[in-house]
Amino acid sequence: MIRFENITKALGGKTVLDRISFEVSEGETLVIVGLSGAGKSVTLKHMIRLMQPDSGVVMIDGESINDLGRSALQVTRTKFGMLFQSAALLQWMSVKDNVALPLREHMKISEEEIEKRVASKLNLLNLSDAGDKFPANLSGGMQKRVGLARAIIMNPKIVLYDEPTSGLDPVTSRRIDDLIVDMRKELGITSVVVTHDLHSALFIGTRIMMLHEGRIVENAPPEEFIRSKNETVQSFLESQYITKKGKWETGLSHE
Amino acid sequence: MRSPARSTRRFGSQVLQLMHDTGHAMFMLLEAAYFMRYAFSKRSRTETATQMFTTGIKSLAVITVVALFTGMILALQTGLELRRYGQEVYIGSAVAVSMIREMGPFMTGLIIAASVGSAIAAQIGTMTVSEEIAALEVMSINPNRFLVMPRLVALIVMMPLLTVYTNILGILGGALVGATQLGVSVQAYMDNATQFATNKDLYVGLFKAGVFGIVITAVSCHQGFMTTEGAVGVGRATRRAVIISFLIILVLGYVITRLFYI
Ligand SMILES: Nc1ncnc2c1ncn2[C@@H]1O[C@H](COP(=O)(O)OP(=O)(O)OP(=O)(O)O)[C@@H](O)[C@H]1O
Ligand SMILES: [Mg+2]
């Protein structure tokens, strides 16, 4: 569904991605982990051509998006929903209007229908009371959830999450994790999730990929990932008190 | 000492960058102009109306003061000179013609660039660095239609209207100085003004105002979209938007007068 072939990207004179290749198949949840500055957000941005690779090809549904024209690119982008690391809500619009924006822009449906769809997504993310507030008056965690509501309002096939649970309390974080798992199991949504939280990575991911110094150092299902021989992966695991011996519930294990 | 070759290369790359930026701004402007036909479509009309309202209202107080005093200064300055020849009554035409043809659009342009243009650059700059523009692109919402077009419409419409307002206040300011300081009755002042100011002066002035509106929108939006490096970048974009708009307004003001009057 998403395939990177030898993607190289330099930014600010530094090679951020160095000949990266990987694939995400339909219905998978790929979790990308790595230290700050490892290029996780840059990788996500390549998937919808917010950034263009210096070399290499990004394939979506078997088609290179490198040279798509504007309208073809728009069609490809309708397959995606994206939650940005900074939530990226429009400041002058209320929560409701932010979430309704893609519907208003692209769908010829009645205002009642829009209200209904928006309300159901806000409800799903526990935001029912925040509809009339403005982004500036929301906590960071609430902004994230509004961003998520907006990302999934058009029911995309693929959802990209850039740190969906950073800045959220543990209870809400688990709720978001559950939502990501539910979307995969019930709707067959393909997801790519960037996170620093290994506990949630192990829970939601069908595969975990670690980026380090421009390369992929590990790309494996959760059970294998925690047993990785790679030193970078091991020290990353240890930093979050995850050991090979520990028994971790994963998204796959309770299927 | 820098070597000449290196300075030349540096200069060359700056010229290339300038051409690249100008091309980018032009493309943005053309696309926004193309989308102007949707200015009052269902999904854009609220934004267009909001932009027109804020553009019109935001700087009205400043414009009032500046316009009055511009007219007063013009009247006093030329009046003192004309008095030596006993021709004070000609301040009417002097003030009216220079307000309508030059000072009206010029002053309005500077004020709008400083107030509205800077606000546009700051807002779009903030949206750029906080990934809101990227979010629009992912949602397949064209920023040139969604953000630039309503501002373009607002400035093209409001600049001439505000210029008319500036002209009226400037001429009134001149009349005030004429009546109180130079012994020219309001009646004589107005007669003289209407005798010499032509419709052409008015049209050229309003044309200028419209062009300045386009310049301010293009420069401010473009600087906003080019913003990098967080809050510092937003400050830099805002400052550059105002300075570049000022320079272009100055030069174009001269060029347009030259085109129509020689
Ligand atoms: N637009 C840009 N211009 C220049 N350099 C950039 C740009 N975007 C990212 N970088 C650089 O690329 C590297 C990777 O950035 P990226 O945002 O992908 O990191 P990340 O893995 O998402 O980190 P974090 O966990 O902190 O979000 C960083 O060194 C960053 O400075
Ligand atoms: Mg990031």
Side-chain angles (χ1 to χ4, degrees), chain B residues 89-90 92-94 96-97 100-101 189-199 201:
Chain B
V89 71
Y90 279 95
S93 62
V97 171
I100 292 173
R101 207 195 274 177
Y189 175 94
M190 286 301 176
D191 284 348
N192 187 273
T194 45
Q195 194 185 339
F196 287 93
T198 63
N199 279 342
D201 294 332

Side-chain angles (χ1 to χ4, degrees), chain B residues 8 13 16 23 28 62 64 72 74 78 104 120 134 136 149 152 167 169 183 195-196 214 216 249:
Chain B
T8 314
S13 78
L16 281 181
M28 176 198 81
V62 189
T64 306
M72 287 164 65
L74 277 174
T78 47
I120 292 176
L136 288 177
M149 182 273 284
L152 183 62
N167 291 342
L169 282 184
Q195 194 185 339
F196 287 93
I214 297 172
I216 295 167
I249 285 174

Side-chain angles (χ1 to χ4, degrees), chain B residues 142-228:
Chain B
N142 186 330
N144 292 342
R145 198 205 88 240
F146 190 71
L147 296 169
V148 182
M149 182 273 284
R151 288 161 177 76
L152 183 62
V153 172
L155 275 145
I156 287 183
V157 173
M158 296 316 287
M159 266 298 294
L161 288 181
L162 289 169
T163 298
V164 169
Y165 177 76
T166 306
N167 291 342
I168 292 171
L169 282 184
I171 292 169
L172 286 180
L176 190 71
V177 168
T180 57
Q181 314 288 312
L182 299 162
V184 180
S185 76
V186 173
Q187 183 64 47
Y189 175 94
M190 286 301 176
D191 284 348
N192 187 273
T194 45
Q195 194 185 339
F196 287 93
T198 63
N199 279 342
K200 181 182 171 189
D201 294 332
L202 183 65
Y203 297 148
V204 172
L206 295 185
F207 172 70
K208 259 187 200 171
V211 172
F212 293 168
I214 297 172
V215 168
I216 295 167
T217 319
V219 171
S220 309
C221 290
H222 179 251
Q223 287 300 325
F225 286 127
M226 294 289 111
T227 307
T228 51

Side-chain angles (χ1 to χ4, degrees), chain B:
Chain B
M1 224 1 244
R2 221 189 268 146
S3 78
R6 216 173 115 192
S7 316
T8 314
R9 203 156 45 220
R10 209 177 122 84
F11 178 72
S13 78
Q14 277 176 351
V15 170
L16 281 181
Q17 182 64 39
L18 181 69
M19 282 164 64
H20 177 265
D21 284 356
T22 313
H24 193 277
M26 281 294 169
F27 175 78
M28 176 198 81
L29 191 60
L30 287 178
E31 202 176 43
Y34 166 80
F35 285 124
M36 270 167 76
R37 53 179 154 156
Y38 303 122
F40 293 95
S41 70
K42 188 162 162 279
R43 42 179 197 180
S44 298
R45 64 182 168 223
T46 330
E47 182 63 7
T48 309
T50 311
Q51 289 303 325
M52 289 173 81
F53 180 76
T54 44
T55 306
I57 296 302
K58 217 177 228 166
S59 16
L60 212 54
V62 189
I63 287 185
T64 306
V65 177
V66 172
L68 264 179
F69 275 90
T70 307
M72 287 164 65
I73 293 167
L74 277 174
L76 195 61
Q77 186 61 29
T78 47
L80 291 176
E81 209 56 34
L82 288 167
R83 183 145 74 184
R84 292 204 274 168
Y85 313 101
Q87 304 284 351
E88 297 97 308
V89 71
Y90 279 95
I91 60 166
S93 62
V95 172
V97 171
S98 40
M99 279 308 294
I100 292 173
R101 207 195 274 177
E102 300 290 345
M103 297 311 279
F106 182 67
M107 286 297 177
T108 316
L110 293 194
I111 293 167
I112 294 293
S115 56
V116 178
S118 64
I120 292 176
Q123 192 194 7
I124 295 187
T126 308
M127 291 183 72
T128 306
V129 297
S130 61
E131 297 182 314
E132 288 168 50
I133 302 293
L136 288 177
E137 272 171 22
V138 173
M139 294 186 277
S140 290
I141 298 173
N142 186 330
N144 292 342
R145 198 205 88 240
F146 190 71
L147 296 169
V148 182
M149 182 273 284
R151 288 161 177 76
L152 183 62
V153 172
L155 275 145
I156 287 183
V157 173
M158 296 316 287
M159 266 298 294
L161 288 181
L162 289 169
T163 298
V164 169
Y165 177 76
T166 306
N167 291 342
I168 292 171
L169 282 184
I171 292 169
L172 286 180
L176 190 71
V177 168
T180 57
Q181 314 288 312
L182 299 162
V184 180
S185 76
V186 173
Q187 183 64 47
Y189 175 94
M190 286 301 176
D191 284 348
N192 187 273
T194 45
Q195 194 185 339
F196 287 93
T198 63
N199 279 342
K200 181 182 171 189
D201 294 332
L202 183 65
Y203 297 148
V204 172
L206 295 185
F207 172 70
K208 259 187 200 171
V211 172
F212 293 168
I214 297 172
V215 168
I216 295 167
T217 319
V219 171
S220 309
C221 290
H222 179 251
Q223 287 300 325
F225 286 127
M226 294 289 111
T227 307
T228 51
E229 293 165 41
V232 184
V234 173
R236 189 164 47 217
T238 310
R239 184 165 45 83
R240 290 177 55 130
V242 174
I243 293 174
I244 297 172
S245 298
F246 273 24
L247 290 177
I248 299 182
I249 285 174
L250 207 59
V251 173
L252 272 188
Y254 173 82
V255 171
I256 294 175
T257 304
R258 172 76 176 66
L259 274 179
F260 281 96
Y261 289 98
I262 296 188

